[in-house]
Amino acid sequence: MKQDCYKFDKELFEILIQEYKERLKIQLTLGNFEKLRFFINQETIDEEEERIYNKEKRYKSEDKVSSDSIKRHFGLIASKSNPSISSCSLYARRLGYLSWDDFCEKAEQKYDVVKGFSTIHFHQFSSLKEGDEVTVGWYPKKYCRLKFLEGYSFEVIESYGMHSKPGRIIETYGFRLSPITSKINLPEVLIEPLFDDDPLWYFINNFDSDLCCIDVLL
């Protein structure tokens, strides 16, 4: 069911901040603050006239966000409070969304790590020829490019954000994701052992990021 109203969500707001960094091509620092402030508070002539008119008539109107508020909301100065939904909506609209609700709905679809995960399943191995390449992960953010050798064997030929280095040989029944605990951080990709009695299954079935055996991490 479609959600009618999103409350403030810290992880979704972090994604919004990341989109600002990508749009403006900046790191969020006090040195880059003016560029951020100008982008957020810019308005068309029509928007300015409407804001002034509403203020004169004492109608409820969304004003510009103060410099201190932007600094607090974007983590440039310490703050114990969250931005209001109206401020979140303004930030979202500056990036082209209709509202905070619109951003949240689209972000949850866009950053669905399961739907965005590229992999190859065991039943597809037989269709591969020696030397064929497959990508496992979320290209270009976190992935491994693998070259098929034979049977159940692959060689890592390119890796970004993963644990495997180029040249690693993997024998596997397939790949799966570790439990998803964040909307922001991508989960680990786990290498499924070939045999049911392989002790590495324990680390997969009882996954713990702090105690996991490196051999099961792609």
Side-chain angles (χ1 to χ4, degrees):
M1 179 182 291
K2 183 179 177 181
Q3 192 166 352
D4 293 327
C5 182
Y6 284 83
K7 297 179 180 179
F8 178 80
D9 183 296
K10 184 176 180 180
E11 288 187 309
L12 286 173
F13 194 76
E14 287 293 331
I15 292 174
L16 185 76
I17 290 176
Q18 184 60 36
E19 291 199 9
Y20 265 91
K21 291 162 70 174
E22 293 173 358
R23 173 72 66 85
L24 299 178
K25 295 180 172 60
I26 61 171
Q27 292 300 314
L28 292 181
T29 65
L30 289 174
N32 291 322
F33 173 70
E34 281 304 313
K35 186 173 183 179
L36 174 66
R37 184 193 64 78
F38 176 78
F39 183 83
I40 290 172
N41 280 331
Q42 64 181 317
E43 59 186 356
T44 65
I45 293 176
D46 288 343
E47 288 173 334
E48 181 181 20
E49 290 179 349
E50 181 180 7
R51 177 172 58 81
I52 293 173
Y53 175 81
N54 288 338
K55 196 169 185 178
E56 290 175 347
K57 296 294 184 180
R58 296 185 178 180
Y59 295 154
K60 187 175 180 181
S61 176
E62 185 179 78
D63 214 331
K64 293 186 178 183
V65 185
S66 71
S67 293
D68 283 347
S69 292
I70 295 173
K71 289 176 182 177
R72 288 196 302 271
H73 298 163
F74 283 76
L76 297 176
I77 58 176
S79 174
K80 295 182 179 180
S81 60
N82 296 324
S84 66
I85 297 303
S86 62
S87 292
C88 290
S89 284
L90 186 147
Y91 295 145
R93 285 199 297 277
R94 290 299 180 244
L95 290 174
Y97 298 97
L98 298 177
S99 63
W100 171 243
D101 282 1
D102 184 48
F103 165 76
C104 291
E105 183 177 344
K106 290 177 178 175
E108 288 186 338
Q109 295 172 358
K110 179 179 178 181
Y111 294 94
D112 186 323
V113 297
V114 176
K115 290 182 179 178
F117 177 57
S118 297
T119 188
I120 184 167
H121 300 284
F122 170 75
H123 62 81
Q124 297 173 303
F125 287 8
S126 60
S127 65
L128 295 175
K129 297 179 181 178
E130 184 177 346
D132 282 354
E133 297 179 3
V134 295
T135 297
V136 177
W138 303 266
Y139 182 86
K141 294 182 177 181
K142 180 178 182 179
Y143 69 96
C144 273
R145 195 154 56 92
L146 309 176
K147 180 171 70 175
F148 180 66
L149 301 178
E150 61 178 352
Y152 310 95
S153 300
F154 296 84
E155 178 185 355
V156 177
I157 58 176
E158 185 180 350
S159 178
Y160 183 80
M162 297 285 215
H163 298 272
S164 299
K165 295 181 179 179
R168 180 185 182 186
I169 304 299
I170 297 169
E171 287 193 326
T172 182
Y173 189 79
F175 305 93
R176 68 169 65 180
L177 299 179
S178 67
I180 299 169
T181 58
S182 169
K183 297 184 181 77
I184 303 170
N185 299 315
L186 295 171
E188 299 289 358
V189 179
L190 308 180
I191 304 168
E192 296 181 340
L194 283 176
F195 305 105
D196 292 340
D197 59 353
D198 193 311
L200 291 177
W201 277 110
Y202 172 83
F203 296 99
I204 292 177
N205 294 328
N206 301 277
F207 183 79
D208 185 322
S209 58
D210 296 325
L211 302 175
C212 188
C213 177
I214 192 69
D215 290 342
V216 303
L217 301 176
L218 183 60

